[in-house]
Amino acid sequence: MFACGKDFSLIVTESHDGNIVIGCGNNENYSLGLPELTKIDTPRKIGSMTGVIMVSAGLDHSLALDINGDVWGWGSNAHFKLGFPDESEIVKTPTKLPLKNIIKISCGEYISLALDRGGNVWWAGVFDDSLPSEFTVVASLPNIIDIVAGDIFG
């Protein structure tokens, strides 16, 4: 599993600790979740997450999903796309987000989406000209089985 953002890439790879995330490219706005704000030429381990089954990359933010259904996010929170209340916040390292029982994730340029086991779609960032400052359930979307975030809207 891999994902590409603006000038950076994320890869899920096996390790003796379980699946981990490695990445390389431009770490501007901490989109790689590494301490250096420079270009990373050689893939490096990102955070301490294990059991990762999916990654997604947006313009300058990233999400990872683990086997427990937990979601980790890092990078720019501009437009509240990581669901934190301070839009100017930069999340420097992978941080567990307040989402549970998630089965799929997707990042767009200014949005993050998550699908839970119950079929609910959660979103943060730009959607339908709204900007919630936390993850919110999208109403009136029955029987959803997959999600894909686009450029600005989900």
Side-chain angles (χ1 to χ4, degrees):
M1 162 63 68
F2 64 92
C4 298
K6 182 182 181 219
D7 302 328
F8 71 98
S9 299
L10 304 172
I11 304 161
V12 176
T13 186
E14 292 181 354
S15 103
H16 63 281
D17 295 328
N19 291 356
I20 61 169
V21 179
I22 60 174
C24 61
N26 186 351
N27 194 35
E28 183 179 353
N29 290 319
Y30 296 94
S31 53
L32 289 172
L34 297 170
E36 306 89 4
L37 283 175
T38 61
K39 182 179 176 193
I40 307 296
D41 292 323
T42 304
R44 291 184 29 202
K45 182 179 178 189
I46 297 173
S48 59
M49 304 166 291
T50 59
V52 176
I53 58 173
M54 182 180 284
V55 288
S56 187
L59 174 70
D60 54 5
H61 74 294
S62 304
L63 296 176
L65 173 64
D66 69 24
I67 59 174
N68 299 315
D70 292 324
V71 178
W72 301 78
W74 60 94
S76 172
N77 189 48
H79 304 283
F80 306 104
K81 60 192 169 193
L82 288 173
F84 292 101
D86 181 359
E87 183 180 16
S88 66
E89 184 172 357
I90 300 290
V91 182
K92 295 180 180 180
T93 59
T95 302
K96 194 179 288 191
L97 302 179
L99 296 166
K100 298 288 181 198
N101 300 313
I102 302 301
I103 58 172
K104 296 207 175 178
I105 53 173
S106 186
C107 294
E109 186 172 351
Y110 300 117
I111 190 170
S112 295
L113 298 175
L115 177 63
D116 70 23
R117 286 188 181 98
N120 297 306
V121 176
W122 295 82
W123 63 277
V126 178
F127 185 86
D128 193 24
D129 295 326
S130 301
L131 276 175
S133 60
E134 60 187 24
F135 276 89
T136 305
V137 173
V138 178
S140 303
L141 294 173
N143 305 314
I144 300 297
I145 59 169
D146 201 2
I147 53 172
V148 177
D151 181 24
I152 296 176
F153 299 100

